[in-house]
C-alpha cells in the first residue's frame, strides 16, 4: 500500500521527510555527546547506539564519518573562527594573540571531539574546512601584528599553532576528568615560551605541508570501516 498515492499533491510524503530530519538531528545530538566524551576515534556504531537507531539508518543519513564530523563540528569551528576575530579586535595585539590561544585551548578542553578536530583535517567536510581556512587567514594577520609589537618571538611560525593544538589535545585526552585543569598549566608554559626575549633559538619548524599530511593521516585514522560485528 502506498499512502502517497492517496494525495497527488505529495502532502502524504511530508511526514517521512520530517521523520528523516528528526532522525538526522537525533544522530547529530548523539554524536556530539559521544565525540565530546570519547573523541573522534569513537565508532559510527557507538553513535548509532547512543541515538537508538540501527547502523543502516546511521549510514543512510551520514554515508561517511567525515559528513557526520562536518555536521557536528561546523558550528564549533565557527566559534573558533570568531575567537580569531575577537583577538584581531583587541587593541593590544599581544593580548589578542594570548587570548586567542587560551580561548582555543579552552574549547579543546571542553570537548574531546573538538580537541581532536583541531589536530586533524577532513577534505570532504566542506563547511568545517572552509571555516578553518577563514580562521587560518585571520591567524596569519594576528601573528604578524603580535610580532610587530616585539612581544612575540620572531622565529614563531604559523605551523607552531598546530603543534600547540596537538600538545593541548594530548594533555586533554590523557588527563581527562582525573586532572581536568592540567591543560591550563601547559598552555601557560607554552605562552611564556613564546614571549620575547627567547632563551635561545628554536629548532626548525616542521612547516605547513608536513603538518598538513599529519593532520590528514590523523583524520583518515578516525574513519576505519565499520563492520557488522561492531554494532
Amino acid at each position: 500500500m502506498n499512502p502517497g498515492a492517496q494525495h497527488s499533491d505529495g502532502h502524504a510524503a511530508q511526514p517521512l521527510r520530517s521523520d528523516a530530519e528528526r532522525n538526522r538531528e537525533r544522530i547529530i545530538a548523539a554524536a556530539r555527546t559521544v565525540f565530546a566524551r570519547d573523541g573522534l576515534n569513537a565508532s559510527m556504531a557507538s553513535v548509532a547506539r547512543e541515538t537508538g537507531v540501527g547502523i543502516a539508518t546511521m549510514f543512510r543519513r551520514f554515508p561517511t564519518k567525515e559528513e557526520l564530523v562536518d555536521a557536528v563540528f561546523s558550528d564549533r569551528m565557527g566559534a573558533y573562527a570568531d575567537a580569531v576575530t575577537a583577538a584581531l579586535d583587541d587593541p593590544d595585539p599581544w593580548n589578542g594573540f594570548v587570548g586567542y590561544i587560551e580561548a582555543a585551548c579552552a574549547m579543546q578542553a571542553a570537548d574531546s571531539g573538538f580537541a581532536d578536530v583541531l589536530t586533524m583535517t577532513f577534505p570532504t567536510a566542506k563547511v568545517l574546512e572552509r571555516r578553518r581556512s577563514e580562521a587560518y587567514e585571520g591567524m596569519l594577520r594576528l601573528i604578524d601584528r603580535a610580532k610587530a609589537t616585539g612581544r612575540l618571538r620572531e622565529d614563531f611560525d604559523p605551523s607552531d599553532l598546530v603543534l600547540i593544538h596537538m600538545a593541548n589535545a594530548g594533555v586533554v585526552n590523557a588527563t581527562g576528568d582525573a586532572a581536568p585543569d592540567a591543560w591550563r598549566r601547559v598552555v601557560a608554559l607554552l605562552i611564556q615560551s613564546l614571549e620575547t626575549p627567547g632563551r635561545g633559538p628554536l629548532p626548525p619548524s616542521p612547516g605547513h605541508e608536513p603538518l598538513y599530511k599529519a593532520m590528514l593521516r590523523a583524520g583518515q585514522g578516525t574513519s576505519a570501516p565499520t563492520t557488522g560485528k561492531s554494532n
Side-chain angles (χ1 to χ4, degrees):
M1 181 177 179
N2 181 6
Q6 299 175 13
H7 300 280
S8 60
D9 59 6
H11 287 174
Q14 184 61 39
L16 291 177
R17 290 196 292 270
S18 297
D19 287 348
E21 181 59 24
R22 282 195 294 271
N23 277 342
R24 183 179 186 278
E25 293 304 317
R26 286 173 57 208
I27 290 169
I28 291 172
R32 284 197 176 109
T33 297
V34 172
F35 291 152
R37 182 186 65 221
D38 302 331
L40 290 192
N41 284 323
S43 68
M44 294 285 274
S46 66
V47 175
R49 286 193 294 270
E50 181 77 20
T51 311
V53 300
I55 194 68
T57 298
M58 166 73 66
F59 281 109
R60 278 198 301 273
R61 302 293 169 253
F62 297 99
T64 68
K65 194 171 186 179
E66 287 79 4
E67 290 180 56
L68 182 58
V69 168
D70 201 12
V72 170
F73 291 108
S74 290
D75 60 341
R76 284 163 172 73
M77 191 62 80
Y80 174 76
D82 289 344
V84 178
T85 300
L88 287 167
D89 288 340
D90 193 310
D92 183 328
W94 171 252
N95 285 341
F97 177 77
V98 170
Y100 153 72
I101 291 179
E102 291 174 341
C105 290
M107 292 174 69
Q108 287 185 293
D111 186 328
S112 292
F114 193 66
D116 291 339
V117 164
L118 289 186
T119 70
M120 302 174 182
T121 191
F122 306 90
T124 62
K126 300 301 184 184
V127 176
L128 184 148
E129 293 301 333
R130 184 179 70 248
R131 291 178 176 172
R132 190 202 303 270
S133 179
E134 292 168 358
Y136 182 74
E137 292 302 317
M139 285 187 293
L140 293 179
R141 297 196 301 274
L142 184 61
I143 290 167
D144 286 343
R145 292 181 187 182
K147 285 184 177 181
T149 68
R151 299 285 299 279
L152 177 61
R153 56 188 302 158
E154 278 297 321
D155 55 357
F156 182 85
D157 186 84
S159 64
D160 292 330
L161 287 172
V162 178
L163 295 177
I164 289 172
H165 291 322
M166 287 179 171
N168 192 52
V171 171
V172 168
N173 290 325
T175 57
D177 57 6
D181 290 327
W183 68 274
R184 296 183 185 277
R185 185 174 178 86
V186 173
V187 170
L189 291 168
L190 290 170
I191 289 172
Q192 290 180 30
S193 74
L194 301 179
E195 190 172 9
T196 55
R199 295 291 183 180
L202 295 171
S205 166
H208 176 78
E209 288 302 320
L211 284 181
Y212 178 80
K213 289 179 181 178
M215 293 171 70
L216 183 63
R217 183 174 58 201
Q220 292 171 338
T222 69
S223 304
T226 303
T227 67
K229 293 180 181 180
S230 65
N231 192 12

